[in-house]
Amino acid sequence: MSGTSVQGIAVVTGGAGFIGSHMVDLLLSEGLHVRVVDNFVGGHRSNLEHHKGDENLEVFDADIRDMDSIRPAFDGARYVFHFAGIGDIVPSIERPIDYMATNVQGTVHVLECARAAGIEKLVYAASSSCYGLAETPTLETHPIRPQYPYALSKFQGEEAVMHWHQVYGLPANSVRIFNAYGTRVRTTGAYGAVFGVFLRQKLAGKPYTVVGDGTQERDFIYASDLAKAFLAAARTEKSGEIYNAGGGNPQSINRLVELLEGEVVYVPKRPGEPDVTWADITKIQSELGWAPEIPFEEGVRRMLADIERWKDAPLWDPDSIANATKTWFTYLGNGRKA
Ligand code: UDP
């Protein structure tokens, strides 16, 4: 029955997606009643099937672009975790309106529903892409320089969250996610996140398509660690705060290849991609007492244990990547050093 949990009700938008489903796992294990709001475009029911029959999980097939469709999920809610949105660089360059409608206006709909429900705390899933080509390690106060519409839309969503906090007193925090990885990372759709690309290539016995020389580093953070960061950002008394969440320990793409084992093929470096992403996590560590727990080697091991999930994922090679990233080079390459 809904709302019977002593810990209260948590709404997870995008709860059938990659990070959202890890959030659902954590909330259920902490004794909360969870309401997933998902339109099942990027999200999949299979990401929640291990909770089948759990009375503390309700699923709302609803779209954040349609406020009336999501409103009922917020009734009596204590916490809201807002992960719903659309990702990937290239489609955001090709379809900016969709990105603004979902990631900005959709967020405004979530904020209005949360406000009407009188929630205790909303936590927004922001993106470290707002920093653009940043100095590292990157602090929350670093200048904002989105490089493509996806980054802009996620940042404007965050601005809306902070505005609702400021104007309406909505209790809310934002967590800027660095490179999230983990089981259930997306297997379908546009060319994107390196794990999905490489795991499928490994299954097919094809070389890993390494961008540039592979020395670029990313601040990978395992999804279940992220879920803990979000819960800490909900439980804190603090409000109106922005926190970086990363591993704080960047890993090179060459190191990832070493752990996965196999041949490589090189594809051109592209404009707008930082050489290093590296979160300064001092603020979240000191204010929320959060720290990443899963070392990179362990996270990669878990993903390899689950590699069969990628057997139907798209298989990328240098030619199909060149084709898929054409728009990227055209629009982001303007005289910029690639
Ligand atoms: N990458 C790669 N080969 C691929 C896809 C990505 O070497 O086929 C690299 C990419 O250059 C970047 C890192 O992996 O340095 C992470 O890319 P992803 O798209 O996952 O995340 P980003 O940090 O770019 O948002």
Side-chain angles (χ1 to χ4, degrees):
M1 246 177 46
S2 89
T4 53
S5 161
V6 285
Q7 297 288 324
I9 298 169
V11 174
V12 183
T13 72
F18 159 46
I19 308 173
S21 67
H22 283 271
M23 191 77 231
V24 172
D25 293 350
L26 177 63
L27 293 168
L28 288 172
S29 76
E30 292 280 320
L32 281 113
H33 182 94
V34 177
R35 294 192 190 140
V36 164
V37 172
D38 208 295
N39 67 353
F40 296 98
V41 174
H44 298 280
R45 287 185 199 275
S46 61
N47 286 340
L48 298 171
E49 79 192 352
H50 53 291
H51 295 300
K52 208 165 182 182
D54 188 335
E55 287 185 350
N56 274 320
L57 176 63
E58 283 178 276
V59 178
F60 292 70
D61 191 339
D63 196 313
I64 60 168
R65 288 170 297 184
D66 174 4
M67 188 152 82
D68 289 338
S69 79
I70 64 170
R71 206 192 312 266
F74 292 76
D75 197 22
R78 180 178 183 192
Y79 299 131
V80 175
F81 299 93
H82 178 35
F83 294 94
I86 45 178
D88 295 317
I89 297 173
V90 171
S92 84
I93 300 169
E94 292 169 346
R95 299 185 283 111
I97 300 277
D98 290 347
Y99 280 72
M100 302 310 267
T102 305
N103 295 348
V104 187
Q105 186 73 345
T107 293
V108 169
H109 294 155
V110 170
L111 292 170
E112 278 296 83
C113 290
R115 183 162 80 94
I119 55 130
E120 190 175 309
K121 186 68 64 63
L122 176 143
V123 186
Y124 175 70
S127 168
S128 65
S129 60
C130 64
Y131 297 124
L133 307 171
E135 277 161 37
T136 54
T138 310
L139 277 165
E140 289 86 351
T141 49
H142 193 276
I144 299 300
R145 295 186 194 119
Q147 302 288 308
Y148 35 82
Y150 165 73
L152 177 70
S153 69
K154 287 300 291 183
F155 177 66
Q156 292 195 338
E158 183 184 72
E159 291 267 84
V161 172
M162 292 302 141
H163 201 74
W164 257 246
H165 169 74
Q166 178 197 314
V167 174
Y168 304 106
L170 183 76
N173 289 316
S174 177
V175 176
R176 290 181 179 161
I177 300 171
F178 279 66
N179 283 71
Y181 76 112
T183 51
R184 297 177 227 139
V185 80
R186 197 166 47 76
T187 61
T188 52
Y191 174 69
V194 66
F195 267 94
V197 176
F198 283 9
L199 289 174
R200 179 70 186 93
Q201 288 166 341
K202 183 176 175 70
L203 271 178
K206 299 287 184 197
Y208 305 119
T209 49
V210 170
V211 170
D213 63 3
T215 57
Q216 71 271 33
E217 294 179 328
R218 287 294 179 274
D219 191 336
F220 291 106
I221 177 74
Y222 201 81
S224 58
D225 274 337
L226 275 177
K228 289 180 184 170
F230 275 74
L231 187 55
R235 284 183 169 155
T236 181
E237 297 276 299
K238 289 179 181 294
S239 201
E241 297 291 337
I242 294 171
Y243 297 102
N244 281 342
N249 178 24
Q251 306 285 329
S252 73
I253 297 308
N254 290 334
R255 173 67 180 145
L256 173 58
V257 165
E258 202 177 291
L259 292 172
L260 294 177
E261 298 179 333
E263 298 302 307
V264 304
V265 59
Y266 295 96
V267 301
K269 193 176 169 185
R270 43 235 183 178
E273 268 205 344
D275 289 331
V276 181
T277 66
W278 181 2
D280 185 317
I281 54 174
T282 312
K283 181 176 176 184
I284 192 168
Q285 283 180 313
S286 64
E287 289 191 9
L288 302 185
W290 174 86
E293 291 167 17
I294 300 179
F296 189 57
E297 290 72 15
E298 166 63 12
V300 172
R301 199 190 57 72
R302 290 189 194 185
M303 294 194 73
L304 283 172
D306 197 38
I307 194 167
E308 286 305 314
R309 273 182 60 90
W310 282 272
K311 67 179 187 323
D312 299 322
L315 177 59
W316 296 97
D317 63 26
D319 286 341
S320 59
I321 290 171
N323 207 29
T325 54
K326 232 179 241 161
T327 315
W328 187 336
F329 282 93
T330 306
Y331 285 90
L332 304 186
N334 306 321
R336 208 179 273 143
K337 220 167 89 217

PDB file of all heavy atoms in Angstrom, residues 89 148 179 191-195 197-198 201 209-212 214 216-218 220 253 267 270 273-275 277 321 328, ligand 1:
ATOM      1  N   ILE A  89      25.547  13.932 -26.485  1.00  0.00           N
ATOM      2  CA  ILE A  89      25.953  15.206 -27.086  1.00  0.00           C
ATOM      3  C   ILE A  89      25.330  15.418 -28.478  1.00  0.00           C
ATOM      4  O   ILE A  89      24.677  16.433 -28.721  1.00  0.00           O
ATOM      5  CB  ILE A  89      27.495  15.267 -27.190  1.00  0.00           C
ATOM      6  CG1 ILE A  89      28.107  15.228 -25.778  1.00  0.00           C
ATOM      7  CG2 ILE A  89      27.941  16.518 -27.950  1.00  0.00           C
ATOM      8  CD1 ILE A  89      29.618  15.122 -25.739  1.00  0.00           C
ATOM      9  N   TYR A 148      27.780  22.358 -25.294  1.00  0.00           N
ATOM     10  CA  TYR A 148      26.784  21.839 -26.247  1.00  0.00           C
ATOM     11  C   TYR A 148      25.419  21.861 -25.557  1.00  0.00           C
ATOM     12  O   TYR A 148      25.330  21.975 -24.321  1.00  0.00           O
ATOM     13  CB  TYR A 148      27.149  20.425 -26.729  1.00  0.00           C
ATOM     14  CG  TYR A 148      27.805  19.582 -25.665  1.00  0.00           C
ATOM     15  CD1 TYR A 148      27.040  18.927 -24.721  1.00  0.00           C
ATOM     16  CD2 TYR A 148      29.194  19.480 -25.589  1.00  0.00           C
ATOM     17  CE1 TYR A 148      27.636  18.182 -23.721  1.00  0.00           C
ATOM     18  CE2 TYR A 148      29.804  18.749 -24.587  1.00  0.00           C
ATOM     19  CZ  TYR A 148      29.018  18.100 -23.658  1.00  0.00           C
ATOM     20  OH  TYR A 148      29.610  17.385 -22.651  1.00  0.00           O
ATOM     21  N   ASN A 179      31.699  11.266 -14.266  1.00  0.00           N
ATOM     22  CA  ASN A 179      31.422  10.161 -15.203  1.00  0.00           C
ATOM     23  C   ASN A 179      30.841   8.952 -14.477  1.00  0.00           C
ATOM     24  O   ASN A 179      31.593   8.133 -13.934  1.00  0.00           O
ATOM     25  CB  ASN A 179      32.690   9.780 -15.967  1.00  0.00           C
ATOM     26  CG  ASN A 179      32.999  10.777 -17.071  1.00  0.00           C
ATOM     27  OD1 ASN A 179      33.399  11.903 -16.796  1.00  0.00           O
ATOM     28  ND2 ASN A 179      32.768  10.383 -18.316  1.00  0.00           N
ATOM     29  N   TYR A 191      25.311   7.007 -30.029  1.00  0.00           N
ATOM     30  CA  TYR A 191      26.705   6.786 -29.625  1.00  0.00           C
ATOM     31  C   TYR A 191      26.989   7.632 -28.393  1.00  0.00           C
ATOM     32  O   TYR A 191      26.615   8.787 -28.307  1.00  0.00           O
ATOM     33  CB  TYR A 191      27.627   7.201 -30.773  1.00  0.00           C
ATOM     34  CG  TYR A 191      29.081   7.155 -30.411  1.00  0.00           C
ATOM     35  CD1 TYR A 191      29.712   5.939 -30.183  1.00  0.00           C
ATOM     36  CD2 TYR A 191      29.821   8.323 -30.273  1.00  0.00           C
ATOM     37  CE1 TYR A 191      31.052   5.887 -29.832  1.00  0.00           C
ATOM     38  CE2 TYR A 191      31.163   8.281 -29.931  1.00  0.00           C
ATOM     39  CZ  TYR A 191      31.769   7.068 -29.710  1.00  0.00           C
ATOM     40  OH  TYR A 191      33.090   7.021 -29.360  1.00  0.00           O
ATOM     41  N   GLY A 192      27.636   7.012 -27.419  1.00  0.00           N
ATOM     42  CA  GLY A 192      27.890   7.768 -26.187  1.00  0.00           C
ATOM     43  C   GLY A 192      28.783   7.016 -25.242  1.00  0.00           C
ATOM     44  O   GLY A 192      29.717   6.345 -25.682  1.00  0.00           O
ATOM     45  N   ALA A 193      28.433   7.115 -23.992  1.00  0.00           N
ATOM     46  CA  ALA A 193      29.249   6.663 -22.860  1.00  0.00           C
ATOM     47  C   ALA A 193      30.180   5.481 -23.162  1.00  0.00           C
ATOM     48  O   ALA A 193      29.786   4.447 -23.693  1.00  0.00           O
ATOM     49  CB  ALA A 193      28.337   6.345 -21.695  1.00  0.00           C
ATOM     50  N   VAL A 194      31.427   5.687 -22.783  1.00  0.00           N
ATOM     51  CA  VAL A 194      32.513   4.781 -23.156  1.00  0.00           C
ATOM     52  C   VAL A 194      32.297   3.332 -22.701  1.00  0.00           C
ATOM     53  O   VAL A 194      32.650   2.398 -23.426  1.00  0.00           O
ATOM     54  CB  VAL A 194      33.861   5.355 -22.638  1.00  0.00           C
ATOM     55  CG1 VAL A 194      33.916   5.383 -21.113  1.00  0.00           C
ATOM     56  CG2 VAL A 194      35.032   4.594 -23.204  1.00  0.00           C
ATOM     57  N   PHE A 195      31.703   3.128 -21.544  1.00  0.00           N
ATOM     58  CA  PHE A 195      31.543   1.746 -21.055  1.00  0.00           C
ATOM     59  C   PHE A 195      30.671   0.907 -21.974  1.00  0.00           C
ATOM     60  O   PHE A 195      31.013  -0.230 -22.298  1.00  0.00           O
ATOM     61  CB  PHE A 195      30.988   1.736 -19.632  1.00  0.00           C
ATOM     62  CG  PHE A 195      32.074   1.696 -18.610  1.00  0.00           C
ATOM     63  CD1 PHE A 195      32.555   2.860 -18.045  1.00  0.00           C
ATOM     64  CD2 PHE A 195      32.636   0.489 -18.226  1.00  0.00           C
ATOM     65  CE1 PHE A 195      33.574   2.825 -17.105  1.00  0.00           C
ATOM     66  CE2 PHE A 195      33.661   0.436 -17.294  1.00  0.00           C
ATOM     67  CZ  PHE A 195      34.126   1.610 -16.735  1.00  0.00           C
ATOM     68  N   VAL A 197      30.096   1.326 -25.086  1.00  0.00           N
ATOM     69  CA  VAL A 197      30.796   1.102 -26.358  1.00  0.00           C
ATOM     70  C   VAL A 197      31.828  -0.015 -26.210  1.00  0.00           C
ATOM     71  O   VAL A 197      31.856  -0.973 -26.985  1.00  0.00           O
ATOM     72  CB  VAL A 197      31.486   2.416 -26.819  1.00  0.00           C
ATOM     73  CG1 VAL A 197      32.310   2.180 -28.082  1.00  0.00           C
ATOM     74  CG2 VAL A 197      30.457   3.520 -27.055  1.00  0.00           C
ATOM     75  N   PHE A 198      32.652   0.077 -25.181  1.00  0.00           N
ATOM     76  CA  PHE A 198      33.754  -0.885 -25.022  1.00  0.00           C
ATOM     77  C   PHE A 198      33.250  -2.281 -24.629  1.00  0.00           C
ATOM     78  O   PHE A 198      33.793  -3.287 -25.102  1.00  0.00           O
ATOM     79  CB  PHE A 198      34.748  -0.389 -23.969  1.00  0.00           C
ATOM     80  CG  PHE A 198      35.689   0.709 -24.444  1.00  0.00           C
ATOM     81  CD1 PHE A 198      35.518   1.331 -25.679  1.00  0.00           C
ATOM     82  CD2 PHE A 198      36.757   1.125 -23.642  1.00  0.00           C
ATOM     83  CE1 PHE A 198      36.380   2.344 -26.105  1.00  0.00           C
ATOM     84  CE2 PHE A 198      37.632   2.124 -24.062  1.00  0.00           C
ATOM     85  CZ  PHE A 198      37.443   2.741 -25.285  1.00  0.00           C
ATOM     86  N   GLN A 201      32.052  -4.016 -27.642  1.00  0.00           N
ATOM     87  CA  GLN A 201      33.194  -4.377 -28.488  1.00  0.00           C
ATOM     88  C   GLN A 201      33.918  -5.589 -27.913  1.00  0.00           C
ATOM     89  O   GLN A 201      34.348  -6.479 -28.652  1.00  0.00           O
ATOM     90  CB  GLN A 201      34.147  -3.168 -28.622  1.00  0.00           C
ATOM     91  CG  GLN A 201      33.540  -2.064 -29.505  1.00  0.00           C
ATOM     92  CD  GLN A 201      34.249  -0.725 -29.409  1.00  0.00           C
ATOM     93  OE1 GLN A 201      34.980  -0.445 -28.451  1.00  0.00           O
ATOM     94  NE2 GLN A 201      34.018   0.140 -30.388  1.00  0.00           N
ATOM     95  N   THR A 209      37.496   1.287 -29.525  1.00  0.00           N
ATOM     96  CA  THR A 209      37.705   2.538 -30.259  1.00  0.00           C
ATOM     97  C   THR A 209      38.160   3.620 -29.286  1.00  0.00           C
ATOM     98  O   THR A 209      37.332   4.303 -28.680  1.00  0.00           O
ATOM     99  CB  THR A 209      36.412   2.960 -30.964  1.00  0.00           C
ATOM    100  OG1 THR A 209      35.332   2.891 -29.995  1.00  0.00           O
ATOM    101  CG2 THR A 209      36.092   2.054 -32.144  1.00  0.00           C
ATOM    102  N   VAL A 210      39.454   3.758 -29.149  1.00  0.00           N
ATOM    103  CA  VAL A 210      40.002   4.741 -28.212  1.00  0.00           C
ATOM    104  C   VAL A 210      40.072   6.106 -28.896  1.00  0.00           C
ATOM    105  O   VAL A 210      40.638   6.233 -29.988  1.00  0.00           O
ATOM    106  CB  VAL A 210      41.404   4.305 -27.730  1.00  0.00           C
ATOM    107  CG1 VAL A 210      42.088   5.417 -26.944  1.00  0.00           C
ATOM    108  CG2 VAL A 210      41.295   3.032 -26.898  1.00  0.00           C
ATOM    109  N   VAL A 211      39.501   7.104 -28.243  1.00  0.00           N
ATOM    110  CA  VAL A 211      39.531   8.464 -28.776  1.00  0.00           C
ATOM    111  C   VAL A 211      40.897   9.096 -28.452  1.00  0.00           C
ATOM    112  O   VAL A 211      41.375   8.981 -27.322  1.00  0.00           O
ATOM    113  CB  VAL A 211      38.394   9.312 -28.161  1.00  0.00           C
ATOM    114  CG1 VAL A 211      38.565  10.786 -28.518  1.00  0.00           C
ATOM    115  CG2 VAL A 211      37.025   8.806 -28.631  1.00  0.00           C
ATOM    116  N   GLY A 212      41.484   9.759 -29.448  1.00  0.00           N
ATOM    117  CA  GLY A 212      42.789  10.400 -29.240  1.00  0.00           C
ATOM    118  C   GLY A 212      43.836   9.343 -28.935  1.00  0.00           C
ATOM    119  O   GLY A 212      43.852   8.278 -29.557  1.00  0.00           O
ATOM    120  N   GLY A 214      44.174   8.118 -25.801  1.00  0.00           N
ATOM    121  CA  GLY A 214      43.734   7.354 -24.620  1.00  0.00           C
ATOM    122  C   GLY A 214      44.342   7.821 -23.302  1.00  0.00           C
ATOM    123  O   GLY A 214      44.088   7.231 -22.258  1.00  0.00           O
ATOM    124  N   GLN A 216      43.648  10.687 -22.044  1.00  0.00           N
ATOM    125  CA  GLN A 216      42.669  11.545 -21.367  1.00  0.00           C
ATOM    126  C   GLN A 216      42.088  10.804 -20.155  1.00  0.00           C
ATOM    127  O   GLN A 216      41.954   9.587 -20.178  1.00  0.00           O
ATOM    128  CB  GLN A 216      41.556  12.006 -22.322  1.00  0.00           C
ATOM    129  CG  GLN A 216      40.552  10.965 -22.765  1.00  0.00           C
ATOM    130  CD  GLN A 216      41.007  10.237 -24.025  1.00  0.00           C
ATOM    131  OE1 GLN A 216      42.182  10.029 -24.237  1.00  0.00           O
ATOM    132  NE2 GLN A 216      40.060   9.830 -24.862  1.00  0.00           N
ATOM    133  N   GLU A 217      41.781  11.580 -19.138  1.00  0.00           N
ATOM    134  CA  GLU A 217      41.323  10.982 -17.885  1.00  0.00           C
ATOM    135  C   GLU A 217      39.901  11.423 -17.556  1.00  0.00           C
ATOM    136  O   GLU A 217      39.513  12.561 -17.838  1.00  0.00           O
ATOM    137  CB  GLU A 217      42.262  11.387 -16.743  1.00  0.00           C
ATOM    138  CG  GLU A 217      43.650  10.816 -16.919  1.00  0.00           C
ATOM    139  CD  GLU A 217      44.598  11.225 -15.801  1.00  0.00           C
ATOM    140  OE1 GLU A 217      44.436  12.354 -15.264  1.00  0.00           O
ATOM    141  OE2 GLU A 217      45.480  10.434 -15.465  1.00  0.00           O
ATOM    142  N   ARG A 218      39.175  10.502 -16.937  1.00  0.00           N
ATOM    143  CA  ARG A 218      37.810  10.797 -16.516  1.00  0.00           C
ATOM    144  C   ARG A 218      37.638  10.436 -15.051  1.00  0.00           C
ATOM    145  O   ARG A 218      38.197   9.449 -14.571  1.00  0.00           O
ATOM    146  CB  ARG A 218      36.794   9.990 -17.348  1.00  0.00           C
ATOM    147  CG  ARG A 218      36.638  10.503 -18.777  1.00  0.00           C
ATOM    148  CD  ARG A 218      36.020  11.896 -18.788  1.00  0.00           C
ATOM    149  NE  ARG A 218      35.868  12.469 -20.119  1.00  0.00           N
ATOM    150  CZ  ARG A 218      36.812  13.144 -20.762  1.00  0.00           C
ATOM    151  NH1 ARG A 218      38.000  13.320 -20.211  1.00  0.00           N
ATOM    152  NH2 ARG A 218      36.576  13.663 -21.951  1.00  0.00           N
ATOM    153  N   PHE A 220      35.607   8.771 -12.944  1.00  0.00           N
ATOM    154  CA  PHE A 220      34.524   7.785 -12.920  1.00  0.00           C
ATOM    155  C   PHE A 220      34.003   7.599 -11.497  1.00  0.00           C
ATOM    156  O   PHE A 220      34.771   7.551 -10.542  1.00  0.00           O
ATOM    157  CB  PHE A 220      35.024   6.441 -13.462  1.00  0.00           C
ATOM    158  CG  PHE A 220      35.324   6.474 -14.935  1.00  0.00           C
ATOM    159  CD1 PHE A 220      36.631   6.485 -15.395  1.00  0.00           C
ATOM    160  CD2 PHE A 220      34.293   6.510 -15.867  1.00  0.00           C
ATOM    161  CE1 PHE A 220      36.906   6.521 -16.765  1.00  0.00           C
ATOM    162  CE2 PHE A 220      34.562   6.544 -17.238  1.00  0.00           C
ATOM    163  CZ  PHE A 220      35.870   6.541 -17.675  1.00  0.00           C
ATOM    164  N   ILE A 253      41.674   6.502 -20.113  1.00  0.00           N
ATOM    165  CA  ILE A 253      41.000   5.527 -20.981  1.00  0.00           C
ATOM    166  C   ILE A 253      41.942   4.346 -21.229  1.00  0.00           C
ATOM    167  O   ILE A 253      41.502   3.193 -21.310  1.00  0.00           O
ATOM    168  CB  ILE A 253      40.547   6.219 -22.294  1.00  0.00           C
ATOM    169  CG1 ILE A 253      39.509   7.310 -21.976  1.00  0.00           C
ATOM    170  CG2 ILE A 253      39.967   5.213 -23.292  1.00  0.00           C
ATOM    171  CD1 ILE A 253      38.324   6.872 -21.129  1.00  0.00           C
ATOM    172  N   VAL A 267      40.539   6.508 -32.780  1.00  0.00           N
ATOM    173  CA  VAL A 267      39.659   7.395 -33.551  1.00  0.00           C
ATOM    174  C   VAL A 267      39.982   8.834 -33.146  1.00  0.00           C
ATOM    175  O   VAL A 267      40.514   9.079 -32.057  1.00  0.00           O
ATOM    176  CB  VAL A 267      38.145   7.065 -33.330  1.00  0.00           C
ATOM    177  CG1 VAL A 267      37.833   5.632 -33.737  1.00  0.00           C
ATOM    178  CG2 VAL A 267      37.699   7.327 -31.912  1.00  0.00           C
ATOM    179  N   ARG A 270      38.016  14.751 -30.450  1.00  0.00           N
ATOM    180  CA  ARG A 270      36.999  15.690 -30.943  1.00  0.00           C
ATOM    181  C   ARG A 270      36.929  16.957 -30.101  1.00  0.00           C
ATOM    182  O   ARG A 270      37.309  16.974 -28.932  1.00  0.00           O
ATOM    183  CB  ARG A 270      35.630  15.011 -31.013  1.00  0.00           C
ATOM    184  CG  ARG A 270      35.320  14.166 -29.843  1.00  0.00           C
ATOM    185  CD  ARG A 270      34.973  12.775 -30.310  1.00  0.00           C
ATOM    186  NE  ARG A 270      34.600  11.934 -29.186  1.00  0.00           N
ATOM    187  CZ  ARG A 270      34.211  10.689 -29.323  1.00  0.00           C
ATOM    188  NH1 ARG A 270      34.126  10.130 -30.497  1.00  0.00           N
ATOM    189  NH2 ARG A 270      33.902   9.976 -28.270  1.00  0.00           N
ATOM    190  N   GLU A 273      35.856  18.234 -25.937  1.00  0.00           N
ATOM    191  CA  GLU A 273      36.032  17.171 -24.926  1.00  0.00           C
ATOM    192  C   GLU A 273      37.202  17.524 -24.018  1.00  0.00           C
ATOM    193  O   GLU A 273      38.318  17.708 -24.502  1.00  0.00           O
ATOM    194  CB  GLU A 273      36.348  15.825 -25.606  1.00  0.00           C
ATOM    195  CG  GLU A 273      35.155  14.988 -25.902  1.00  0.00           C
ATOM    196  CD  GLU A 273      35.483  13.488 -25.979  1.00  0.00           C
ATOM    197  OE1 GLU A 273      36.649  13.096 -26.106  1.00  0.00           O
ATOM    198  OE2 GLU A 273      34.530  12.710 -25.923  1.00  0.00           O
ATOM    199  N   PRO A 274      36.977  17.574 -22.726  1.00  0.00           N
ATOM    200  CA  PRO A 274      38.097  17.888 -21.833  1.00  0.00           C
ATOM    201  C   PRO A 274      39.147  16.768 -21.798  1.00  0.00           C
ATOM    202  O   PRO A 274      38.811  15.601 -21.988  1.00  0.00           O
ATOM    203  CB  PRO A 274      37.433  18.031 -20.459  1.00  0.00           C
ATOM    204  CG  PRO A 274      36.064  17.508 -20.584  1.00  0.00           C
ATOM    205  CD  PRO A 274      35.712  17.387 -22.030  1.00  0.00           C
ATOM    206  N   ASP A 275      40.404  17.125 -21.596  1.00  0.00           N
ATOM    207  CA  ASP A 275      41.460  16.113 -21.444  1.00  0.00           C
ATOM    208  C   ASP A 275      41.328  15.410 -20.095  1.00  0.00           C
ATOM    209  O   ASP A 275      41.648  14.240 -19.972  1.00  0.00           O
ATOM    210  CB  ASP A 275      42.842  16.763 -21.559  1.00  0.00           C
ATOM    211  CG  ASP A 275      43.137  17.196 -22.988  1.00  0.00           C
ATOM    212  OD1 ASP A 275      42.604  16.555 -23.914  1.00  0.00           O
ATOM    213  OD2 ASP A 275      43.872  18.183 -23.169  1.00  0.00           O
ATOM    214  N   THR A 277      38.674  15.188 -16.577  1.00  0.00           N
ATOM    215  CA  THR A 277      37.620  15.635 -15.662  1.00  0.00           C
ATOM    216  C   THR A 277      38.021  15.115 -14.285  1.00  0.00           C
ATOM    217  O   THR A 277      38.478  13.979 -14.146  1.00  0.00           O
ATOM    218  CB  THR A 277      36.204  15.135 -16.032  1.00  0.00           C
ATOM    219  OG1 THR A 277      36.137  13.718 -15.890  1.00  0.00           O
ATOM    220  CG2 THR A 277      35.823  15.529 -17.456  1.00  0.00           C
ATOM    221  N   ILE A 321      31.422   5.403 -35.964  1.00  0.00           N
ATOM    222  CA  ILE A 321      31.640   6.512 -35.022  1.00  0.00           C
ATOM    223  C   ILE A 321      31.876   7.812 -35.795  1.00  0.00           C
ATOM    224  O   ILE A 321      31.316   8.865 -35.453  1.00  0.00           O
ATOM    225  CB  ILE A 321      32.817   6.210 -34.066  1.00  0.00           C
ATOM    226  CG1 ILE A 321      32.425   5.091 -33.093  1.00  0.00           C
ATOM    227  CG2 ILE A 321      33.236   7.470 -33.289  1.00  0.00           C
ATOM    228  CD1 ILE A 321      33.559   4.560 -32.237  1.00  0.00           C
ATOM    229  N   TRP A 328      28.950  16.618 -34.506  1.00  0.00           N
ATOM    230  CA  TRP A 328      29.823  17.061 -33.414  1.00  0.00           C
ATOM    231  C   TRP A 328      30.987  17.874 -33.983  1.00  0.00           C
ATOM    232  O   TRP A 328      31.248  19.010 -33.565  1.00  0.00           O
ATOM    233  CB  TRP A 328      30.323  15.817 -32.675  1.00  0.00           C
ATOM    234  CG  TRP A 328      31.106  16.032 -31.426  1.00  0.00           C
ATOM    235  CD1 TRP A 328      31.832  17.127 -31.056  1.00  0.00           C
ATOM    236  CD2 TRP A 328      31.229  15.085 -30.357  1.00  0.00           C
ATOM    237  NE1 TRP A 328      32.417  16.921 -29.842  1.00  0.00           N
ATOM    238  CE2 TRP A 328      32.075  15.694 -29.399  1.00  0.00           C
ATOM    239  CE3 TRP A 328      30.739  13.798 -30.130  1.00  0.00           C
ATOM    240  CZ2 TRP A 328      32.427  15.020 -28.208  1.00  0.00           C
ATOM    241  CZ3 TRP A 328      31.098  13.156 -28.951  1.00  0.00           C
ATOM    242  CH2 TRP A 328      31.917  13.758 -28.008  1.00  0.00           C
TER     243      TRP A 328
HETATM  244  N1  UDP B   1      35.865   7.416 -25.357  1.00  0.00           N
HETATM  245  C1  UDP B   1      36.684   6.594 -26.103  1.00  0.00           C
HETATM  246  N2  UDP B   1      36.101   5.798 -27.040  1.00  0.00           N
HETATM  247  C2  UDP B   1      34.772   5.764 -27.264  1.00  0.00           C
HETATM  248  C3  UDP B   1      33.939   6.599 -26.480  1.00  0.00           C
HETATM  249  C4  UDP B   1      34.515   7.416 -25.548  1.00  0.00           C
HETATM  250  O1  UDP B   1      37.897   6.602 -25.958  1.00  0.00           O
HETATM  251  O2  UDP B   1      34.334   5.030 -28.170  1.00  0.00           O
HETATM  252  C5  UDP B   1      36.481   8.313 -24.357  1.00  0.00           C
HETATM  253  C6  UDP B   1      36.140   9.787 -24.566  1.00  0.00           C
HETATM  254  O3  UDP B   1      37.075  10.395 -25.423  1.00  0.00           O
HETATM  255  C7  UDP B   1      36.246  10.339 -23.166  1.00  0.00           C
HETATM  256  C8  UDP B   1      35.906   9.158 -22.274  1.00  0.00           C
HETATM  257  O4  UDP B   1      35.988   7.990 -23.092  1.00  0.00           O
HETATM  258  O5  UDP B   1      37.574  10.730 -22.892  1.00  0.00           O
HETATM  259  C9  UDP B   1      34.527   9.244 -21.673  1.00  0.00           C
HETATM  260  O6  UDP B   1      33.605   9.488 -22.707  1.00  0.00           O
HETATM  261  P1  UDP B   1      32.055   9.454 -22.428  1.00  0.00           P
HETATM  262  O7  UDP B   1      31.360   9.796 -23.695  1.00  0.00           O
HETATM  263  O8  UDP B   1      31.711   8.198 -21.731  1.00  0.00           O
HETATM  264  O9  UDP B   1      31.882  10.602 -21.358  1.00  0.00           O
HETATM  265  P2  UDP B   1      32.260  12.171 -21.409  1.00  0.00           P
HETATM  266  O10 UDP B   1      33.287  12.369 -20.360  1.00  0.00           O
HETATM  267  O11 UDP B   1      32.780  12.487 -22.759  1.00  0.00           O
HETATM  268  O12 UDP B   1      30.972  12.837 -21.092  1.00  0.00           O
END
